[in-house]
Amino acid sequence: MPSLFDTRPIDAPVAYAKVALEQGIDLAPDGLTYGVPAALNDLAIGERVTVPLGRGDKRVTGYVMEVTEQSDLPPAKLGRIKLILERDLSGISLTPDLVELAKWMASYYCCPLGMVFVTMLPAAVKHGTGSVKREMVGMAGEGSEFRVLSSELKTAESDSPTTRNSELGTRNSLPKLTKLQQSILAAALKQRDEGRAFTEIRELADLAGAKTISPVRQLIEKGVLITQTQAAVRAAPAIIDPSEETKNNGAPGLLLTPEQDAAIRHLAGQVHAGFSVSLLHGVTGSGKTEVYLCAIERLMAESSEFGVRSSELKDNNLPSAPRNRETPNSELRTRNSSSPAALILVPEIALTPQTVARFQRRFGDIAVLHSGLTPAQRHEQWRRIRRGEVNIVVGARSAIFAPLPPGSLGIIIVDEEHESSYKQDQLPRYHARDVAVKRGQLLNIPVLLGSATPSLESYLNAGGGQNEFRVPSSEFRVESHEGNGEGHELVPQLGTRNSELATPSVRPRYHLLRLPTRVPGLKLPKVEIVDLSDERRKRYEYTGKAGVHLVSLRLEAAIRSTMKDKQQTLLLLNRRGYANYISCPDHKCGWLLKCDHCDATMVFHKDAQLPTGGYMHCHHCTAKQLLPKTCPLCQKKVTIFGLGTQRVEEELERKFSGIRLARMDSDSMRTARDYAETLDQFRGGLIDVLVGTQMIAKGLDFPNVRLVGVISADTSLHMPDFRASERTFQLIAQVAGRAGRGSDPGTVVVQTFNPTDPAITLASKHDFDTFAAAELKMRAEMGLPPVTRMARIVVRDKDHVACYEYAKTLAAHLNQFNAEMKLGVRVRGPAACPIARIAEFHRLQIELIGKDAGTLQKLMTALRNARLLKSDNHVAVDVDPMALM
Ligand code: ADP
Ligand code: ZN
Ligand code: ZN
């Protein structure tokens, strides 16, 4: 630090900072060292700064990772150290726990640190979308004579203000105030007493019933009020329909079930116990959301009861918050800063007004973060969260990076934790649930995961299925390249030795909570399985015709009776478009239409506007082409086969005259508004049957739905992915959960060519535990996640040979490092990906399977250190991959 006798030149650094540059290359894993100029001597961790880079001193932005008085650089280098140029002018900064989280993510997900920061900070915040300057006014200082005046003003409310003013005026020789000025002063005092030291000038005038702001200006001139400019964001309200009422909104005072009560008590006990992860496994309609709401209420009530400030609840040793230059007066916060905040993640699609409204009704002012916001709204929400103005943040995947002020977060909740949309499919390929667990660990707070169909990862971590399923560790062996066949622990316990490499799951802190039945008054629906081969035979016997029918006789009858009783039906088919195959009818010819740019078939989409009646669409590279009429090889008329939601729609229109039908898939629902509108119509009873993809499988809660049909349970069952059964179970159980939310338990009809497959039969019985135990046993035998950990490296190149050469080099090094370090990782490949070419790029994959995350990390780090893992367009590293295509 500089002192009186400092002899250093003026531009000598007063401290040193490590800065992670906001770019996609790894210059240094922990950031580059810069000098801190005297003008920035209060620089804090997480601040966004501009620094010079390279020979030309190009101006680049980055984040402060660390500030130290000394640097460990050699003196020769220190002499030539460059100084930080400036801090972000609009005061953007991340919190210290987010900086720690970014470091962990960069290491765990093998991603340049700068890219992690790019993901963490919304572009709208960086660009300042919608920024305005607001003029704020507040009282001119405590203890002044105006304080006396103001207390008089308050006690003598009934007196005539003019008399009072003249009395006061003579007594204290204060400036005389007009009636309007007095009202403004009173309003400013009231605002201050309610914790708002500054109020926007216009708002204050309005509060006092003044038509213009000039009386406020006069008070400023008199020195009674002072002004301050505050950066603000102007945006339309982010919550579209806060008033929307739905049935059973879970008002406080609901009689909790004993299971709900037990879960809430458990969570209340975790609040002061530091980091823990609780998995709430509750069947659909068991009142999980109610548990979230009550747990948050309990958390808030407890800390205000004990008078504990939230920041004192944790001993996380995080450095203090950077000074927020935008809100110089911390009293500007309107949030009740004594109660801790909660962060709730929900899948994007569940962010309908229904979910948001439920949290809003319960907690008042909340912040939301999801893809439906405009950039200005996103910016505004981010600022409000950063300033600590809200206690509740509800958002989709990237909301896990919500910048809640240090010490404020008390719990993180991840709803529908099994949802694959929590995994980002671009760099950094993070899983928001796992990042949530890590953030909870860094902040030393509880994390709550909830689902009716937990991921096997979380279920295993929480000790689920342990009674039924226990594989002695000697039974499970990971082949190792030294061939020693050593046994491995099923679930390793990492995390304390080296936090950089810790797995997100620290098992001893996991708890399993169960809600095995629906809430009182609701019953789980009865599920019927329709064997489609049987159905074909029967139809032929009855009608003498084969024909293609996507809706079976049984499902048709069920829809008819549901319509007759003025009840509603949901039909799920997890494939959009009309049909997914166009081929030559002649088997000897065998022509099948494939995308010119990908190794994949194209999907036929009907479009009555087009002369050909539709077009072909590749769902992998988005290429489109016209529907060919004839086979290009033998000129026979083409056949269209396969399934799609459009085809179901068409068949229903043919079978039921006058049916009121809507289709919900990513083709028909372009915006969040389309989605909300269609759901409103459905709720209003204007639609008899809603056909859709997985969009309709989750979260919807409509009491009038008596029938749910699954057109094909087989679409996900035969995917070349070891999670195919798990996905099938989830999809059936989740969509079945949409039925029976009224007085009638409802019926579910599941159509399949595999009526005895356990994923289908057990989902029909709502028996997750048996399914999970059997599936985990199989995964253990095959050495697959979650019993092991996986990372996948995909190499892509337009040049097939270059692609293969590079993949081979990578695999050779991986095998070499693996052997040298005796890691026992299984290295599989290079082999063609299931889709071997997308958008002209050939694709080869290498799969790494290790006994635990730490082992995989060591191998990847070796590869990274050898500069073999370039994060460019040619290599994608996916740790804990969810999609294997
Ligand atoms: P989940 O999230 O498990 O699907 P919800 O929390 O949405 O379940 O609850 C389903 C419905 O039951 C909601 O309408 C909710 O208000 C209501 N509910 C929740 N808990 C109870 C309870 N203890 N008694 C009666 N109804 C309840
Ligand atoms: Zn394509
Ligand atoms: Zn042909």
Side-chain angles (χ1 to χ4, degrees):
M1 290 291 121
S3 72
L4 263 183
F5 308 104
D6 210 334
T7 52
R8 283 179 293 182
I10 298 166
D11 60 351
V14 295
Y16 298 92
K18 288 220 166 117
V19 177
L21 304 182
E22 217 171 34
Q23 55 184 28
I25 40 162
D26 256 339
L27 281 179
D30 298 322
L32 296 173
T33 305
Y34 283 91
V36 179
L40 299 182
N41 68 354
D42 60 343
L43 197 72
I45 288 177
E47 280 199 68
R48 192 159 179 259
V49 291
T50 306
V51 292
L53 181 70
R55 293 242 176 92
D57 282 346
K58 201 174 120 207
R59 290 168 65 93
V60 291
T61 49
Y63 295 84
V64 177
M65 307 294 297
E66 195 183 291
V67 184
T68 47
E69 288 196 15
Q70 304 297 327
S71 169
D72 45 19
L73 287 181
K77 279 202 167 172
L78 268 188
R80 284 180 286 119
I81 200 136
K82 292 178 185 174
L83 295 185
I84 293 177
L85 298 173
E86 63 192 14
R87 58 177 16 141
D88 186 281
L89 292 176
S90 59
I92 296 173
S93 68
L94 293 172
T95 56
D97 71 302
L98 286 176
V99 171
E100 281 305 305
L101 194 65
K103 279 195 215 164
W104 175 80
M105 283 176 69
S107 147
Y108 187 82
Y109 292 110
C110 265
C111 174
L113 195 51
M115 293 293 288
V116 178
F117 283 121
V118 168
T119 302
M120 273 190 174
L121 192 76
V125 176
K126 233 175 297 181
H127 301 145
T129 317
S131 292
V132 288
K133 288 260 179 271
R134 290 203 300 173
E135 191 174 7
M136 313 290 287
V137 285
M139 293 297 299
E142 298 288 302
S144 73
E145 56 271 56
F146 295 106
R147 201 174 165 70
V148 185
L149 168 69
S150 44
S151 62
E152 297 278 344
L153 256 178
K154 260 195 283 180
T155 50
E157 221 121 64
S158 52
D159 296 356
S160 147
T162 339
T163 16
R164 196 157 32 93
N165 184 42
S166 52
E167 279 169 23
L168 286 168
T170 41
R171 199 170 67 214
N172 294 334
S173 63
L174 284 171
K176 284 205 170 152
L177 299 185
T178 66
K179 207 170 164 184
L180 211 46
Q181 288 170 347
Q182 286 175 43
S183 313
I184 283 166
L185 186 54
L189 277 163
K190 187 152 179 280
Q191 288 288 92
R192 193 200 53 193
D193 290 348
E194 286 168 7
R196 287 176 294 272
F198 284 83
T199 311
E200 191 172 14
I201 191 160
R202 179 71 253 178
E203 193 188 337
L204 189 65
D206 287 347
L207 284 173
K211 290 210 174 58
T212 67
I213 57 168
S214 60
V216 186
R217 289 251 175 265
Q218 289 151 10
L219 285 177
I220 296 167
E221 273 162 33
K222 286 183 197 291
V224 179
L225 296 179
I226 52 166
T227 64
Q228 185 183 78
T229 8
Q230 192 193 329
V233 185
R234 187 153 292 155
I239 296 168
I240 307 168
D241 191 4
S243 64
E244 189 217 6
E245 280 301 320
T246 49
K247 65 124 206 180
N248 281 343
N249 54 43
L254 201 75
L255 190 65
L256 295 171
T257 64
E259 291 84 8
Q260 284 176 317
D261 192 51
I264 294 161
R265 275 165 197 270
H266 162 85
L267 291 165
Q270 295 302 311
V271 167
H272 305 292
F275 169 64
S276 67
V277 182
S278 301
L279 173 63
L280 179 63
H281 173 210
V283 295
T284 55
S286 58
K288 291 184 292 296
T289 313
E290 195 55 42
V291 171
Y292 307 153
L293 295 166
C294 292
I296 298 170
E297 273 172 352
R298 201 65 72 91
L299 169 77
M300 291 179 163
E302 279 203 16
S303 21
S304 59
E305 219 168 88
F306 297 128
V308 195
R309 283 191 64 89
S310 55
S311 54
E312 291 159 8
L313 288 178
K314 296 120 205 152
D315 57 337
N316 48 26
N317 295 325
L318 288 173
S320 63
R323 192 168 57 86
N324 194 337
R325 284 174 316 288
E326 206 177 273
T327 49
N329 190 333
S330 63
E331 281 179 63
L332 270 178
R333 292 182 180 189
T334 52
R335 186 175 76 88
N336 176 2
S337 56
S338 68
S339 54
L343 171 58
I344 302 104
L345 298 190
V346 294
E348 189 73 65
I349 212 68
L351 272 169
T352 57
Q354 228 177 344
T355 315
V356 173
R358 220 164 144 185
F359 277 90
Q360 206 193 13
R361 268 196 300 274
R362 208 63 164 258
F363 299 106
D365 197 16
I366 67 171
V368 292
L369 287 171
H370 56 86
S371 66
L373 300 181
T374 65
Q377 285 173 331
R378 195 187 310 272
H379 182 194
E380 187 208 15
Q381 297 292 309
W382 194 91
R383 293 269 176 184
R384 292 177 67 220
I385 298 167
R386 184 71 185 88
R387 283 200 295 261
E389 291 174 5
V390 282
N391 280 332
I392 307 283
V393 180
V394 183
R397 184 177 60 219
S398 64
I400 190 54
F401 307 123
L404 290 125
S408 68
L409 202 53
I411 190 169
I412 304 177
I413 297 174
V414 184
D415 188 26
E416 308 288 359
E417 63 86 30
H418 66 280
E419 265 287 313
S420 53
S421 64
Y422 282 129
K423 175 88 177 178
Q424 174 156 293
D425 59 8
Q426 310 158 13
L427 215 60
R429 295 183 174 77
Y430 70 95
H431 197 302
R433 174 201 59 222
D434 296 340
V435 175
V437 170
K438 186 68 200 182
R439 196 170 180 196
Q441 191 189 15
L442 287 171
L443 290 171
N444 203 26
I445 57 169
V447 178
L448 173 60
L449 313 175
S451 175
T453 52
S455 65
L456 292 179
E457 281 76 8
S458 300
Y459 189 68
L460 181 63
N461 282 331
Q466 293 297 288
N467 298 330
E468 307 89 10
F469 153 75
R470 198 183 295 276
V471 183
S473 58
S474 60
E475 248 180 59
F476 168 66
R477 290 165 200 279
V478 172
E479 299 160 29
S480 90
H481 286 266
E482 304 83 16
N484 59 8
E486 234 174 32
H488 294 283
E489 274 179 281
L490 274 182
V491 180
Q493 290 165 17
L494 290 172
T496 38
R497 263 171 306 140
N498 184 347
S499 68
E500 291 272 311
L501 300 179
T503 90
S505 43
V506 183
R507 204 174 165 224
R509 307 268 197 131
Y510 268 81
H511 309 274
L512 183 58
L513 313 170
R514 292 179 193 267
L515 305 177
T517 58
R518 283 195 163 181
V519 298
L522 297 190
K523 286 211 178 68
L524 280 167
K526 187 170 151 286
V527 184
E528 294 174 28
I529 298 175
V530 170
D531 177 350
L532 287 176
S533 346
D534 213 31
E535 155 79 19
R536 258 189 202 173
R537 210 172 42 244
K538 274 194 199 137
R539 193 181 283 273
Y540 188 71
E541 278 166 17
Y542 294 155
T543 63
K545 279 186 277 193
V548 180
H549 291 266
L550 304 187
V551 176
S552 64
L553 291 165
R554 172 69 193 108
L555 185 53
E556 189 179 329
I559 297 174
R560 220 171 276 289
S561 91
T562 307
M563 279 171 69
K564 204 173 113 252
D565 295 345
K566 305 246 175 312
Q567 301 268 302
Q568 293 171 300
T569 301
L570 283 178
L571 289 184
L572 171 82
L573 176 59
N574 211 4
R575 195 170 273 160
R576 63 201 169 91
Y578 185 86
N580 54 337
Y581 295 103
I582 304 295
S583 73
C584 178
D586 186 344
H587 289 295
K588 276 185 271 155
C589 167
W591 175 82
L592 178 69
L593 177 65
K594 285 194 159 184
C595 175
D596 288 341
H597 316 284
C598 309
D599 275 354
T601 62
M602 296 183 93
V603 178
F604 175 51
H605 286 252
K606 273 212 166 179
D607 187 343
Q609 314 274 313
L610 296 176
T612 47
Y615 60 92
M616 302 304 302
H617 188 192
C618 172
H619 288 183
H620 300 286
C621 74
T622 71
K624 283 183 183 162
Q625 68 177 71
L626 288 176
L627 172 67
K629 289 214 165 74
T630 56
C631 168
L633 304 181
C634 67
Q635 275 69 46
K636 292 195 180 72
K637 195 165 168 285
V638 297
T639 325
I640 298 176
F641 67 103
L643 323 169
T645 44
Q646 283 187 324
R647 194 169 188 174
V648 177
E649 200 181 16
E650 189 187 84
E651 189 175 315
L652 288 170
E653 268 159 3
R654 208 169 55 226
K655 286 184 164 148
F656 301 90
S657 66
I659 188 171
R660 295 172 306 166
L661 200 60
R663 178 163 57 89
M664 192 169 253
D665 55 32
S666 54
D667 297 316
S668 64
M669 302 288 123
R670 303 242 172 239
T671 65
R673 205 166 266 284
D674 289 341
Y675 182 70
E677 275 169 15
T678 308
L679 289 183
D680 270 350
Q681 289 174 5
F682 192 65
R683 183 181 303 114
L686 303 174
I687 295 167
D688 301 313
V689 178
L690 185 60
V691 180
T693 53
Q694 78 250 29
M695 266 190 190
I696 63 162
K698 293 146 194 171
L700 303 186
D701 184 2
F702 298 119
N704 233 10
V705 172
R706 201 178 70 186
L707 176 65
V708 168
V710 179
I711 299 293
S712 168
D714 307 330
T715 50
S716 56
L717 200 56
H718 300 308
M719 299 271 271
D721 184 328
F722 69 88
R723 288 193 184 88
S725 286
E726 189 181 354
R727 297 254 164 76
T728 304
F729 185 98
Q730 287 168 352
L731 200 61
I732 296 174
Q734 290 288 345
V735 76
R738 303 311 115 211
R741 290 182 173 248
S743 48
D744 190 300
T747 304
V748 180
V749 175
V750 177
Q751 306 190 140
T752 174
F753 282 105
N754 302 278
T756 56
D757 191 285
I760 295 171
T761 55
L762 292 168
S764 306
K765 291 185 202 144
H766 312 287
D767 186 355
F768 177 80
D769 290 324
T770 307
F771 170 77
E775 184 69 20
L776 280 171
K777 186 161 183 285
M778 196 162 70
R779 301 269 182 93
E781 283 160 8
M782 314 273 287
L784 288 168
V787 180
T788 53
R789 299 298 278 260
M790 185 185 276
R792 182 178 184 236
I793 303 176
V794 174
V795 178
R796 27 172 269 161
D797 205 302
K798 288 190 178 171
D799 180 334
H800 198 193
V801 176
C803 187
Y804 185 64
E805 290 302 326
Y806 190 28
K808 232 171 52 179
T809 313
L810 278 184
H813 281 92
L814 284 165
N815 280 316
Q816 186 201 327
F817 296 141
N818 188 31
E820 280 169 10
M821 294 191 282
K822 299 198 181 358
L823 297 172
V825 171
R826 217 185 318 171
V827 180
R828 303 205 291 205
C833 295
I835 302 174
R837 190 174 55 118
I838 293 181
E840 309 291 358
F841 280 89
H842 297 276
R843 305 168 75 239
L844 290 168
Q845 65 178 7
I846 302 169
E847 272 178 0
L848 307 177
I849 299 179
K851 62 172 179 161
D852 55 44
T855 314
L856 284 184
Q857 282 293 305
K858 283 184 197 142
L859 187 52
M860 307 283 267
T861 307
L863 202 63
R864 217 171 164 183
N865 291 345
R867 303 245 165 225
L868 285 162
L869 262 192
K870 286 176 254 143
S871 285
D872 54 16
N873 264 342
H874 295 288
V875 195
V877 179
D878 194 353
V879 178
D880 301 329
M882 294 297 286
L884 299 173
M885 302 301 278

